[in-house]
Amino acid sequence: MRRRTAALIGAVGLLASALTAPAQAGSPSASVTDACVASVPEPGTTTPVRICYSLFKPAGASASRTVPLILHSHGWGGSRTKDPAAFTAWLDAGFGVLSFDQRSFGESTGVAHVMNPDFEGRDVIKLVDLVAGLDWVTREAPGDPLIGAIGGSYGGGFQFAGAFTELRDYGRTRFDALAPEVTWWDLKGSLAPDEAARTMWLSLLYAGGGTHLPPSVSAAFVTLIATGAWPRGKAGRDLDAFFARNGPAWHVEQGRKLDIPVLSGQGISDNLFNLNQGLANFDRALTPRARARSIFVGYNAGHMLPSVLPPGWAVAGDPCSIALGSPTFADLAVRFMRSRLLGSATGLTGEGAYHLSTADGRCLTQQGLTANSSYRLGKIATPTGVGLPVHVKVAAGPLTVAGVPRVDARVYTVLPDSGVFLALSVGTNPLTAKVVQNNTMPLREQRVVKGERRSIELPAIAVDVPAGKNLYLTVSPVADMYAGQRGPLPGALLLKDTTLRVHRILSR
């Protein structure tokens, strides 16, 4: 219990921190300006919301010697970075930096709409307008500054919100490159996949910033945490409406894609915004031309809590940034922006590819992750609500699997609101099998079903299964990321004609 409490406290700190804060190296020579801009009022009011920022101008920057600028912001529940030492790497590389308090956090006013384009999206546009008026920032055209963006979690969300809102409102974005980390594609799909609430994380998010939400949404969050299920009736419709536009998924549904290079960092062992979310952003939010100039890095970090039930494992670290020639993702981000904004020869490689840390800490690079292998697993019976995980052998090692596995099956239940949690695991036998990279995904049936066909997305992974160990499909009646909720009555769930589809690496 003491270990889990310490992990939760650490996770709260992670949510509030800027995950992409560059490495510190001495005291930079930079001038700092603290101020605020006026942005969109809250609904039903006419008072502009104040968005506050710290602006770091590097030594030597002037109207005759302009520099590009990097926008930065914080995670959920946090505030902007005011210390110029945190941005030494950027300032020394020839960039200005603007770090800002997002709506309702730090010194900024208003209410958190969680990256709604009409609020947080327009807040970002106001800041870009400000930057466009600075005579020491490079302009590509009048009103069009040369800019990139960094930040993790909520600080990754603002990057997509700002760029996509500009694309929606003006037909193009002024951002020239982005470097988001551990952020989302579909917010509802992250907080409550298949409408099963990740209650462990929702509790942390609420503790870190629940009072910043609109009152009706805050109340619905409490219900979501208490019941573990997406509310029904008006409360559920209100939540759906609140989250409908709050991520790249909605913009892509409207026909928009970003045509700018993106350095994507996503935690494979992140069990809030999992690898599936990052891959969806990389695969679906960018044009093919942009993706060819972009890089995807998956590491064992992020919003990371240990999976105790069912037991899981991952070796923390980022071997792929190292494989790409940088000691950390933060250093890789500086190289990426130097290449994309300054045109510097940085030796950057790996564009258009997926660079994924395996569960044991090896960097695996793939040009594609489309499923190329199928395994027929037949009939799988499991209890629901209470009981032990069922582990079904898929294949013996050695083999390597990466990407988003998927289970296709006919589903039978005996009670409404029945659910199970699925993942791939590795072990010498079922008793030693551990969930790869601490992630599970739910299958939740709200009504009794008799043979309904389902295609179930499992957590995206990268894993080497060595000789002497096996790959298993784990189906569990409980999962601790979804714990602390009023679960369904004990029952049973049956999968028939079960097939697992995976991307298997045929040679190393």
Side-chain angles (χ1 to χ4, degrees):
M1 179 65 184
R2 183 173 299 172
R3 182 178 298 175
R4 170 55 61 90
T5 302
L8 292 175
I9 293 170
V12 171
L14 174 64
L15 289 169
S17 67
L19 301 185
T20 48
Q24 298 183 17
S27 299
S29 176
S31 62
V32 183
T33 300
D34 293 310
C36 305
V37 296
S39 191
V40 180
E42 288 297 327
T45 73
T46 57
T47 304
V49 163
R50 185 177 68 242
I51 303 298
C52 299
Y53 63 87
S54 293
L55 179 65
F56 304 90
K57 178 182 177 181
S62 67
S64 60
R65 187 183 174 189
T66 62
V67 297
L69 185 132
I70 300 296
L71 265 70
H72 164 269
S73 197
H74 54 83
W76 178 257
S79 59
R80 73 187 192 266
T81 300
K82 296 183 177 182
D83 183 1
F87 298 113
T88 298
W90 293 101
L91 297 166
D92 287 352
F95 296 93
V97 179
L98 185 150
S99 183
F100 71 97
D101 290 329
Q102 303 205 45
R103 180 174 288 241
S104 189
F105 294 102
E107 296 172 10
S108 293
T109 59
V111 173
H113 297 267
V114 199
M115 298 307 156
N116 186 299
D118 294 329
F119 297 99
E120 284 86 358
R122 287 181 174 163
D123 295 342
V124 176
I125 291 174
K126 292 289 186 181
L127 292 167
V128 175
D129 290 342
L130 167 77
V131 171
L134 300 172
D135 64 1
W136 55 269
V137 173
T138 304
R139 297 188 191 93
E140 298 180 284
D144 185 3
L146 184 61
I147 55 172
I150 59 171
S153 190
Y154 205 57
F158 92 82
Q159 301 178 49
F160 285 121
F164 269 118
T165 302
E166 283 200 313
L167 187 59
R168 180 194 69 172
D169 293 351
Y170 308 115
R172 61 181 295 272
T173 179
R174 289 174 290 178
F175 282 95
D176 297 285
L178 306 178
E181 288 193 78
V182 294
T183 196
W184 66 88
W185 155 259
D186 181 307
L187 192 53
K188 178 183 176 181
S190 293
L191 302 179
D194 206 14
E195 299 199 340
R198 282 191 167 108
T199 48
M200 189 74 74
W201 276 112
L202 286 171
S203 299
L204 289 171
L205 290 167
Y206 189 83
T211 58
H212 295 263
L213 295 164
S216 62
V217 175
S218 182
F221 247 72
V222 173
T223 300
L224 188 57
I225 293 167
T227 66
W230 202 257
R232 297 175 186 174
K234 185 178 184 303
R237 291 192 297 272
D238 287 347
L239 268 188
D240 281 334
F242 182 78
F243 288 119
R245 302 182 177 190
N246 294 21
W250 177 76
H251 290 280
V252 173
E253 286 175 3
Q254 306 304 305
R256 292 183 280 274
K257 289 180 184 285
L258 296 177
D259 194 30
I260 56 174
V262 176
L263 172 63
S264 252
Q266 201 75 15
I268 307 182
S269 52
D270 188 314
N271 35 40
L272 174 60
F273 302 136
N274 62 16
L275 179 61
N276 306 55
Q277 297 287 309
L279 291 175
N281 281 328
F282 194 76
D283 292 338
R284 300 168 66 181
L286 307 180
T287 65
R289 181 174 69 170
R291 195 161 49 250
R293 300 184 63 224
S294 299
I295 300 173
F296 189 95
V297 175
Y299 38 63
N300 290 324
H303 310 85
M304 190 167 66
L305 292 176
S307 180
V308 177
L309 186 64
W313 107 101
V315 175
D318 178 13
C320 291
S321 288
I322 296 171
L324 291 169
S326 296
T328 66
F329 186 89
D331 290 286
L332 182 63
V334 175
R335 286 177 63 208
F336 185 80
M337 292 298 176
R338 286 179 58 216
S339 169
R340 297 302 182 256
L341 301 188
L342 295 173
S344 300
T346 64
L348 194 67
T349 60
E351 291 94 336
Y354 307 89
H355 309 277
L356 307 177
S357 173
T358 66
D360 283 326
R362 177 175 76 93
C363 182
L364 173 68
T365 294
Q366 292 288 288
Q367 295 301 316
L369 296 172
T370 303
N372 59 11
S373 300
S374 297
Y375 299 89
R376 294 184 177 180
L377 305 180
K379 184 188 300 184
I380 303 172
T382 177
T384 62
V386 66
L388 296 175
V390 173
H391 304 284
V392 179
K393 183 178 176 179
V394 175
L399 77 156
T400 299
V401 172
V404 183
R406 187 170 287 275
V407 167
D408 300 312
R410 290 189 290 125
V411 181
Y412 298 78
T413 61
V414 296
L415 293 172
D417 289 323
S418 293
V420 292
F421 305 91
L422 299 95
L424 292 184
S425 299
V426 174
T428 55
N429 56 59
L431 292 177
T432 62
K434 291 187 176 181
V435 167
V436 177
Q437 289 161 317
N438 289 318
N439 258 307
T440 59
M441 288 284 273
L443 166 65
R444 191 182 187 100
E445 298 291 353
Q446 295 185 4
R447 58 184 179 84
V448 175
V449 295
K450 303 293 183 183
E452 294 285 344
R453 289 215 164 264
R454 297 285 187 257
S455 184
I456 309 154
E457 184 175 284
L458 272 59
I461 59 168
V463 64
D464 294 318
V465 183
K469 291 190 176 182
N470 303 311
L471 181 69
Y472 295 93
L473 172 64
T474 293
V475 184
S476 178
V478 292
D480 48 13
M481 292 304 112
Y482 304 82
Q485 57 184 286
R486 188 177 71 245
L489 293 171
L493 183 145
L494 178 66
L495 303 176
K496 281 188 175 181
D497 301 329
T498 308
T499 299
L500 172 69
R501 292 182 284 131
V502 300
H503 176 76
R504 179 172 178 176
I505 288 81
L506 301 178
S507 62
R508 289 182 56 173

